[in-house]
Amino acid sequence: MPENFLWGGAAAANQCEGAYDTEGKGLSTADVFTSGGLGTPRIYTDGIKPDLYYPSHTAIDFYHRYREDIALFAEAGFKCFRTSINWTRIFPEGDEERPNEAGLRFYDGLFEECLKYGIEPVVTISHYETPYALVKKYGAWRSRRMIDFFVRYCEVIFRRYKDKVKYWLTFNEINVIILNPLMAAGVRIAEGENFDRVVYQAGHHQLVAGARAVALGREINPAFKLGMMMLYPPFYAETCRPEDQLAAMQAMDSHYLFSDVQVRGAYSQKALNIQAEKDAVPDREAGDSGILKNGTVDFIGFSYYNSNVATTREDALFTGGNMLNAIKNPYLKESEWGWSIDPIGLRLAMNSLYDRYRLPVFVAENGFGAQDIVNDDGSIHDLYRIDYLRRHIMAMRDAVVKDGVECLGYTVWSCIDLVSASTGEMKKRYGLIHVDRNDEGHGTLRRSKKDSFYWYRCCIRSNGEKLDLR
Ligand code: BGP
């Protein structure tokens, strides 16, 4: 792999920090999601209900234990650590004039701790946690007022951390707004509303906000690397029937709609047609096209877990998948949660993004959720996770070495066990480091290294050369 390749791990504030009301932090949407499970959706409650369990409230207590955790990341040889800033630590309600100093201090400490070990922080500005007060007062990203609140937040963090953080990602998986607008943007859509109309309007506000943030970041520190982040769901056509091929293309179009704006600075004609067809063209202000043009990104972050299948058949069999249930692919095995395991899909994703945009890509999330067994001696032999990571890293290497894709880094999801975004579970574990905590919120929170920790350390030390299972 290229010299200075950013090997590391990823996490998100709301899934690991806990301390949901500590030192002035306000409530975010993530704090009012109960836990769920496979087939049991998480419930979004109106405020906190005393008799319900909310996994983000303590999560893995990274807030108080980050020094210990970052020391472990350093031991694994991480070159970077991707995490997010909890917006509500900085602006508890989201619309204040002044930030919360205690929240800013927390991230000073966190980033300094990373830098102490030579670990580059890669920071997502908004990862699935909209300030809850903004949801109540303005309907979150439905409202154009969110743009100013978001930009104010960005200005504060860009100025504060300008010498500590170089890599920024604006919105986590921006295209997920079309799949889960509540999680991605704090937007709940009432029955009878035009779903697409609401989603594309809220999405437009995020695109404008993101572009303004990029332009501002560049002004504050021209050395910043400002990226976008999308969920990349490669769609295979089920057959070579032209109709299936068209279905696959159209499935991808709905996701490229967002990245095209962030990379090229304008909606494509096809995107406008998609929106018009659904009677969902967002209201735009006169200055918006200039803002979008002026705020294009430097690199493309994306998450990749599984691939999908597109078909025109109506009786197709579905299985799980990240954020969207996928049609079963008979050539692929699946995880316990039904997500297909497809390393070649990662190579295809990297090629498609690079060929389309000619900008460096960053594999910001890739990993394997599984139940782990802790043996009596404390060891955890997570060979299945090693196998998944190994095969995906090999595919990434092929994309870089054989296909010539420019790739800045790879951050495994996740470096440490944390709360699952879709199910709220702890038992769907992704970490290289185990955390003793269960789905009911019990456990010592003790950290211990899994076999995958040692394996990944070896991979990083050899810059992606040594990927043997043992
Ligand atoms: C991505 C999200 C992450 C993360 C991951 C795994 O879509 O950006 O926050 O959680 O998916 O998904 P899950 O936790 O639902 O298994």
Side-chain angles (χ1 to χ4, degrees):
M1 297 298 285
E3 226 183 299
N4 303 324
F5 187 74
L6 290 171
W7 293 101
N14 81 80
Q15 291 169 261
C16 69
E17 285 177 6
Y20 82 106
D21 61 353
T22 303
E23 293 193 279
K25 180 182 171 300
L27 266 194
S28 82
T29 48
D31 299 324
V32 294
F33 267 117
T34 65
S35 63
L38 195 55
T40 317
R42 302 182 73 176
I43 302 164
Y44 179 78
T45 57
D46 189 12
I48 293 175
K49 307 286 169 208
D51 46 337
L52 294 177
Y53 174 60
Y54 298 91
S56 77
H57 292 193
T58 304
I60 58 158
D61 196 30
F62 182 73
Y63 188 81
H64 296 107
R65 293 162 197 254
Y66 71 81
R67 287 193 179 81
E68 180 193 343
D69 294 339
I70 291 168
L72 288 168
F73 303 161
E75 189 185 328
F78 281 17
K79 311 282 184 222
C80 75
F81 170 47
R82 171 181 173 233
T83 189
S84 63
I85 293 180
N86 237 320
W87 187 346
T88 49
R89 282 198 199 288
I90 313 300
F91 287 99
E93 301 247 310
D95 58 356
E96 298 91 337
E97 295 281 329
R98 287 173 191 286
N100 170 31
E101 178 57 29
L104 288 166
R105 254 199 321 267
F106 168 71
Y107 292 102
D108 275 330
L110 174 58
F111 300 144
E112 277 160 20
E113 199 65 15
C114 290
L115 296 170
K116 181 169 120 189
Y117 295 103
I119 296 175
E120 184 88 54
V122 176
V123 175
T124 318
I125 298 172
S126 177
H127 191 132
Y128 294 167
E129 36 76 31
T130 309
Y132 188 62
L134 296 183
V135 177
K136 296 302 268 184
K137 290 190 207 168
Y138 309 96
W141 285 97
R142 281 172 183 267
S143 163
R144 196 169 167 104
R145 295 196 63 183
M146 290 294 282
I147 300 173
D148 285 338
F149 301 140
F150 181 79
V151 173
R152 186 187 299 160
Y153 159 55
C154 290
E155 171 151 21
V156 166
I157 58 175
F158 285 159
R159 290 200 191 283
R160 178 79 168 218
Y161 308 123
K162 73 174 175 5
D163 301 320
K164 296 189 172 99
V165 178
K166 180 172 163 194
Y167 291 90
W168 299 92
L169 298 159
T170 48
F171 293 95
N172 182 61
E173 300 185 333
I174 189 157
N175 51 323
V176 165
I177 199 167
I178 59 172
L179 305 169
N180 191 340
L182 184 56
M183 187 173 278
V187 170
R188 212 171 356 185
I189 298 172
E191 226 170 282
E193 265 191 294
N194 179 342
F195 180 95
D196 298 295
R197 177 89 186 76
V198 178
V199 158
Y200 287 128
Q201 187 65 60
H204 179 70
H205 294 148
Q206 289 197 335
L207 289 168
V208 172
R212 275 183 57 191
V214 166
L216 179 69
R218 218 160 259 150
E219 210 179 288
I220 291 173
N221 185 352
F224 278 172
K225 296 278 174 224
L226 296 140
M228 50 148 290
M229 158 62 172
M230 76 182 288
L231 173 143
Y232 196 88
F235 275 89
Y236 300 120
E238 189 183 32
T239 70
C240 50
R241 272 183 74 217
E243 288 82 354
D244 283 348
Q245 299 291 331
L246 188 65
M249 183 195 82
Q250 287 171 337
M252 284 315 298
D253 286 342
S254 65
H255 295 282
Y256 282 135
L257 186 146
F258 296 88
S259 49
D260 281 356
V261 177
Q262 292 186 297
V263 177
R264 295 175 173 155
Y267 287 93
S268 67
Q269 188 54 50
K270 202 196 291 190
L272 295 172
N273 294 349
I274 292 173
Q275 293 177 331
E277 205 174 299
K278 298 175 173 191
D279 187 22
V281 179
D283 297 333
R284 283 168 283 171
E285 286 191 358
D288 287 358
S289 48
I291 292 171
L292 295 179
K293 204 130 251 83
N294 196 32
T296 56
V297 296
D298 298 319
F299 69 96
I300 295 154
F302 70 100
S303 63
Y304 175 81
Y305 291 87
N306 60 273
S307 55
N308 298 269
V309 175
T311 184
T312 40
R313 208 151 57 86
E314 274 173 14
D315 56 348
L317 201 59
F318 278 86
T319 179
N322 191 16
M323 297 291 169
L324 69 162
N325 284 337
I327 291 167
K328 229 174 156 47
N329 184 330
Y331 302 102
L332 300 175
K333 293 210 171 85
E334 288 149 17
S335 78
E336 281 173 80
W337 276 263
W339 297 20
S340 65
I341 300 170
D342 179 13
I344 290 177
L346 175 59
R347 181 174 176 182
L348 294 170
M350 293 173 71
N351 273 274
S352 306
L353 285 168
Y354 189 64
D355 289 346
R356 188 176 183 99
Y357 298 128
R358 289 283 143 191
L359 279 184
V361 300
F362 194 124
V363 185
E365 284 182 33
N366 173 239
F368 191 65
Q371 303 198 56
D372 293 329
I373 294 168
V374 184
N375 299 307
D376 292 343
D377 62 357
S379 59
I380 299 159
H381 303 307
D382 56 342
L383 270 185
Y384 35 89
R385 184 168 295 108
I386 295 175
D387 186 50
Y388 178 99
L389 295 175
R390 174 176 174 266
R391 292 199 289 136
H392 283 76
I393 289 173
M394 279 161 63
M396 170 176 73
R397 225 170 49 184
D398 284 344
V400 171
V401 178
K402 296 188 179 154
D403 308 331
V405 174
E406 212 181 326
C407 182
L408 299 174
Y410 174 91
T411 45
V412 59
W413 187 274
S414 167
C415 28
I416 186 161
D417 289 347
L418 35 65
V419 176
S420 154
S422 57
T423 68
E425 291 169 306
M426 274 302 300
K427 74 163 180 285
K428 189 182 189 193
R429 295 179 182 276
Y430 282 90
L432 311 173
I433 298 163
H434 180 268
V435 178
D436 179 24
R437 186 156 177 93
N438 68 15
D439 289 341
E440 286 74 47
H442 303 131
T444 59
L445 291 165
R446 196 175 154 267
R447 285 34 180 167
S448 49
K449 296 170 229 168
K450 305 181 191 176
D451 284 1
S452 55
F453 176 95
Y454 299 102
W455 174 86
Y456 193 47
R457 181 169 68 177
C458 194
C459 161
I460 296 177
R461 277 188 186 155
S462 64
N463 198 18
E465 280 295 313
K466 282 198 70 174
L467 300 176
D468 312 338
L469 283 182
R470 297 223 169 250

